[in-house]
Amino acid sequence: MGTVIVTGSSGLVGSECVRHFASRGFDVVGIDNDMRAHFFGDDASTREQGRRLEQEFPNFRLVDADIRETLSIGEVFADHSSAIELVIHAAAQPSHDWAARSPATDFTVNAYGTLNLLESVRKHCPSAVFIFVSTNKVYGDTPNALPLVEQEMRWEIPADHQYANGIDESMSIDQSKHSLFGVSKTAADLMVQEYGRYFGMRTACFRGGCLTGPAHRGAELHGFLSYLMSCTVTGKPYRIIGYKGKQVRDNIHSSDLAAAFECFYRRPGSGKVYNIGGARGNSCSVLEAVALCEKIAGKRLEVSYEDQNRQGDHMWWITDTGRFRADYPEWQQRFDLETTLTQIYEARAEFELAKTS
């Protein structure tokens, strides 16, 4: 088996990809410097996750490196060179709000870091498959112009609308407010496409919505379901920000996402773009998610509300995964929303218990 490089390997998507490919016999090299702790504080640190992966998989090696550093990243790729078959780029600064605090850091991590990785692949292993964990924020706030209808617990779209089954890749990324985070990820997204088209590299952008799972170290500024369940477990008040709490997201388990990546690795293309998410069946509003967390945890959550929504935030997003399913009909989602949230609850409860023992 060949080598898989995973950036952000101790985070939610990265750690799931390490497990997925290491368990299938690949040699996996993770790149992670725990910048999540820098972004969101020690409670969001992923360092312990990296240690557990090293203990669990003898064919996994963790490298503490910054994706913006040309020399150190180049050394990682030079060390493995032609053995590298797949690169999964999951490292990122992932928050709207944090990006506004430090635009330069956000842009260099998300945009330049991606360019640095693409160049390393082009130089050392140009036949490798390159998968970029992009975001639906490349579409900016264009979804907010949809003719949404207010219901008791959520915003919804008319059943006869072209996006009734979800938003596909035909939506424009222009003429909208993206947030600075959305801009940096869009720059990276376009670069990944361009390296596929211009240099003939095998690349794909997976534009995710809410990516989640039990390995997520959710923080208030990033990690919707994980942070919500953390508040439910610990009794910490949860703050709903804007849109009456009726904003809708679809949610995909990180394990299902890793499986999608393997499908693309097995039959890659060049410069591909896929919207990826949980689709309508795994969608919920914030209010609906609060109720489901309370049901699973068996306790009430203290909730406050702020009327001012976050800039560039979506009122409604459900993913149409039709393009990916057409190309890879073998891909199946295994986790529904309640199962995913139950796993998050169990992981968080175990974490809190370990802190007190």
Side-chain angles (χ1 to χ4, degrees), residues 70-319:
T70 303
L71 182 60
S72 58
I73 294 302
E75 288 176 348
V76 172
F77 279 82
D79 286 346
H80 300 276
S81 191
S82 60
I84 301 171
E85 296 184 1
L86 171 63
V87 177
I88 299 173
H89 177 28
Q93 189 298 110
S95 167
H96 294 271
D97 305 270
W98 202 97
R101 296 177 185 176
S102 183
T105 301
D106 173 77
F107 195 84
T108 55
V109 170
N110 290 346
Y112 178 72
T114 302
L115 175 60
N116 192 30
L117 290 162
L118 285 165
E119 274 296 283
S120 292
V121 172
R122 189 164 75 97
K123 181 178 180 180
H124 297 287
C125 50
S127 63
V129 175
F130 188 98
I131 291 174
F132 175 53
V133 183
S134 188
T135 173
N136 61 14
K137 302 307 183 292
V138 302
Y139 298 107
D141 62 358
T142 297
N144 292 350
L146 295 172
L148 300 177
V149 178
E150 184 177 0
Q151 298 181 348
E152 181 181 0
M153 294 288 285
R154 61 158 60 193
W155 296 99
E156 195 49 270
I157 199 166
D160 59 352
H161 193 275
Q162 72 174 101
Y163 292 143
N165 290 324
I167 295 171
D168 63 24
E169 298 82 358
S170 67
M171 178 170 277
S172 174
I173 67 172
D174 297 322
Q175 306 299 321
S176 62
K177 179 184 286 186
H178 289 75
S179 81
L180 296 178
F181 158 75
V183 169
S184 64
K185 292 290 282 190
T186 300
D189 184 300
L190 292 173
M191 192 65 74
V192 172
Q193 292 183 58
E194 195 64 19
Y195 268 65
R197 293 188 172 93
Y198 195 91
F199 295 117
M201 290 169 56
R202 300 188 292 178
T203 68
C205 299
F206 282 79
R207 294 173 173 173
C210 282
L211 317 176
T212 192
H216 209 177
R217 301 293 292 133
E220 184 176 22
L221 298 184
H222 179 255
F224 161 47
L225 289 182
S226 176
Y227 181 70
L228 177 57
M229 184 59 83
S230 174
C231 290
T232 309
V233 170
T234 63
K236 182 178 181 179
Y238 181 80
R239 183 170 57 127
I240 296 175
I241 304 175
Y243 300 138
K244 302 181 183 180
K246 298 181 181 183
Q247 56 266 55
V248 171
R249 304 286 184 269
D250 67 333
N251 306 273
I252 184 170
H253 195 292
S254 52
S255 177
D256 288 333
L257 186 62
F261 292 167
E262 183 176 3
C263 289
F264 183 80
Y265 160 72
R266 299 294 181 188
R267 297 199 314 280
S270 294
K272 296 295 185 178
V273 174
Y274 296 109
N275 286 357
I276 196 76
R280 177 166 284 281
N282 287 309
S283 70
C284 63
S285 69
V286 174
L287 294 179
E288 290 166 344
V290 167
L292 187 52
C293 284
E294 290 178 332
K295 172 189 171 185
I296 292 169
K299 59 189 296 189
R300 299 286 293 178
L301 172 64
E302 182 181 341
V303 175
S304 63
Y305 176 72
E306 291 185 10
D307 191 54
Q308 181 60 52
N309 59 279
R310 297 158 65 195
Q311 291 196 54
D313 199 18
H314 293 158
M315 291 179 67
W316 185 91
W317 180 277
I318 292 176
T319 307

